[in-house]
Amino acid sequence: MKGYKIWFGFVLIMLMTVAACQSGEQEPEEVDEEVSEEVEEADESKSEEEEQEEVTAGSEERPQYEVWIADQGTNEIHIIDGVTHEIIDMIDFGDVGDKPHMLVFDEAGDYGYSANMGSGTVSVIRGEDREVVATLETDEGAHAAVPTPDGRRVLVANTPGESMTEILIDHDNEEYAVGRHLELTEVDLLQDEEEFPNHRPICLEYTEDSSKAYVTLGGGGLFIMDVEEFEVVKAFGKSDIGAHGCGTILSPDGKHMFANSGSTELAEYYVFDTETDELIYTGETGGIDAHGVKFTPDGEYLWMLNRVTDDAAIIDPETFEVIEMVDFVGDAPDLLVFSPDGKYAYISLRGPEPATGTHDMAGDTPGVAIIDVESKEKVGLIELSGDPHGIDLRVLD
């Protein structure tokens, strides 16, 4: 009997020990599970915070700049923040100038020049506070007002007026005055009616020393001006340069001047030697209606827009050949600029009722298209309501 009690006691102790062990094992498992969940939540929370910090840090590291876009359909100039891509301000041109067409800043980004086609005037805008400090009459249909690299003057292409006007600059005193005026119908080098059907200047660009300006003509052709003497020194007829020319831009090394021509059937581009002023290359963009041009900030590539086919040709500035096409950049693209870091291209898209133009260039999505340069994909659209055209970029300090 005594042995039975001892054996029973031993069994009872063993059962209690096993139960206690099982209970002890379960409790830590529950605790470990709760701790694990808390750690995972903390890790997820930390990850989200880190991602947000990376986005914010990325925005702060990107260069600070503004994109200015002239809407000639609404008589407004819109200012877009380059980091947020939001419209942050607007300049009402209702009482300033009609149909602000081309908008070009000086090299320092201090002053912008708006050529107002509807009123035949040029307005000078101080970039820092966005104030219009002067508006000057030039001639009928002021199309493009471009400052010289040396900052001494602005040449204005008055398209319907068939003339060129000089504006003299005194930024220190913010004084601007109309200087010399040239009637292109009276220029001896442009008298051949077969080669120069009209004398309507369109777009212009300078050599890097500001001594010469290359100017395209609406009916076909191009002429070169001696800027200091304010006279035409050389001309090419429509046999060499097609109609509706624009796209004048100097190569980064200053050795070549590019230009183009475009219509509903044509898209050619041309290269000139700036030392000899000879036409040395003619090519086709691969699209229709070549127009706006810009070099990437690193100077490696020239983008050339085709308005009818809604695409862009990428040109090698050394071989002058098209090396790639961007299939779609937006509906009715016109002009473009690049962000300072080369990440984005900003392209003005025309509206359904173009305020200016010689042929069909209407689009259904007026605004500014944002193109990711690396992927060549359209990644955004800043919507406007009229007929956007002139576009330029102002880098902030």
Side-chain angles (χ1 to χ4, degrees):
M1 191 71 177
K2 182 179 178 180
Y4 172 79
K5 288 181 179 180
I6 293 172
W7 178 84
F8 179 78
F10 175 76
V11 171
L12 183 60
I13 291 171
M14 289 295 295
L15 289 173
M16 290 174 65
T17 302
V18 171
C21 289
Q22 288 178 342
S23 175
E25 288 174 358
Q26 289 175 353
E27 288 178 4
E29 284 180 2
E30 291 177 1
V31 172
D32 286 346
E33 195 172 312
E34 291 175 4
V35 171
S36 176
E37 289 176 359
E38 289 176 2
V39 170
E40 288 178 4
E41 289 175 3
D43 287 343
E44 289 176 4
S45 175
K46 184 178 180 181
S47 176
E48 290 174 2
E49 289 175 2
E50 287 176 345
E51 287 177 2
Q52 185 59 41
E53 286 175 3
E54 287 175 4
V55 170
T56 305
S59 298
E60 291 174 353
E61 289 171 2
R62 291 200 62 221
Q64 307 296 305
Y65 60 94
E66 298 169 342
V67 179
W68 290 45
I69 175 77
D71 190 330
Q72 58 184 354
T74 60
N75 282 340
E76 297 171 339
I77 292 178
H78 298 274
I79 298 150
I80 300 164
D81 184 285
V83 175
T84 66
H85 291 158
E86 295 179 354
I87 295 174
I88 56 174
D89 207 349
M90 184 272 287
I91 304 173
D92 187 351
F93 256 51
D95 297 325
V96 176
D98 187 34
K99 296 186 177 73
H101 188 71
M102 297 285 279
L103 176 64
V104 182
F105 272 94
D106 57 25
E107 292 195 345
D110 294 331
Y111 293 88
Y113 298 88
S114 171
N116 311 313
M117 283 204 75
S119 53
T121 60
V122 171
S123 297
V124 185
I125 309 168
R126 189 170 53 228
E128 185 177 10
D129 58 8
R130 299 155 192 169
E131 288 293 321
V132 177
V133 298
T135 296
L136 304 98
E137 291 186 10
T138 57
D139 199 356
E140 181 185 0
H143 179 270
V146 184
T148 54
D150 62 16
R152 295 176 56 198
R153 54 174 59 89
V154 171
L155 294 191
V156 185
N158 306 298
T159 303
E162 297 186 303
S163 67
M164 298 291 295
T165 301
E166 175 190 48
I167 295 176
L168 301 175
I169 298 172
D170 179 2
H171 281 323
D172 292 338
N173 298 301
E174 286 195 340
E175 293 179 355
Y176 309 89
V178 173
R180 293 166 290 184
H181 186 80
L182 180 64
E183 294 289 342
L184 296 176
T185 55
E186 299 175 2
V187 173
D188 290 341
L189 290 174
L190 304 178
Q191 293 307 306
D192 187 333
E193 294 182 0
E194 287 294 323
E195 287 298 310
F196 304 100
N198 67 48
H199 301 85
R200 297 185 168 205
I202 307 296
C203 297
L204 68 142
E205 186 57 277
Y206 305 96
T207 52
E208 60 184 354
D209 62 358
S210 302
S211 66
K212 294 181 289 189
Y214 287 66
V215 187
T216 58
L217 288 166
L222 175 149
F223 63 88
I224 301 172
M225 284 190 72
D226 182 309
V227 175
E228 193 66 37
E229 298 299 324
F230 207 69
E231 64 181 16
V232 176
V233 295
K234 192 165 186 175
F236 299 82
K238 71 173 188 178
S239 297
D240 294 314
I241 310 296
H244 311 303
C246 196
T248 48
I249 190 168
L250 186 67
S251 63
D253 61 10
K255 295 180 179 179
H256 302 106
M257 184 69 72
F258 288 76
N260 64 27
S261 62
S263 66
T264 55
E265 298 178 353
L266 178 70
E268 288 184 339
Y269 64 95
Y270 317 95
V271 186
F272 298 84
D273 183 309
T274 55
E275 183 177 353
T276 64
D277 295 327
E278 294 296 328
L279 175 62
I280 60 173
Y281 187 89
T282 298
E284 295 184 1
T285 67
I288 299 295
D289 196 12
H291 199 64
V293 292
K294 204 72 175 179
F295 278 98
T296 52
D298 59 11
E300 293 293 322
Y301 306 103
L302 174 63
W303 284 38
M304 188 172 292
L305 302 177
N306 296 305
R307 290 187 292 192
V308 169
T309 46
D310 301 334
D311 54 21
I314 300 179
I315 299 169
D316 185 321
E318 294 186 0
T319 65
F320 311 141
E321 296 180 352
V322 174
I323 57 174
E324 189 176 357
M325 293 294 295
V326 183
D327 293 334
F328 180 72
V329 295
D331 190 23
D334 209 289
L335 303 174
L336 78 157
V337 292
F338 288 99
S339 60
D341 58 5
K343 182 176 177 59
Y344 296 113
Y346 301 94
I347 300 175
S348 59
L349 305 180
R350 301 295 293 269
E353 298 181 5
T356 60
T358 57
H359 52 276
D360 183 18
M361 54 189 69
D364 294 327
T365 57
V368 177
I370 305 172
I371 308 297
D372 182 284
V373 173
E374 184 176 359
S375 67
K376 313 293 189 300
E377 295 289 334
K378 179 171 171 282
V379 295
L381 173 66
I382 301 168
E383 297 181 0
L384 297 172
S385 59
D387 184 32
H389 187 268
I391 188 169
D392 208 351
L393 184 140
R394 179 171 178 265
V395 179
L396 306 179
D397 293 334

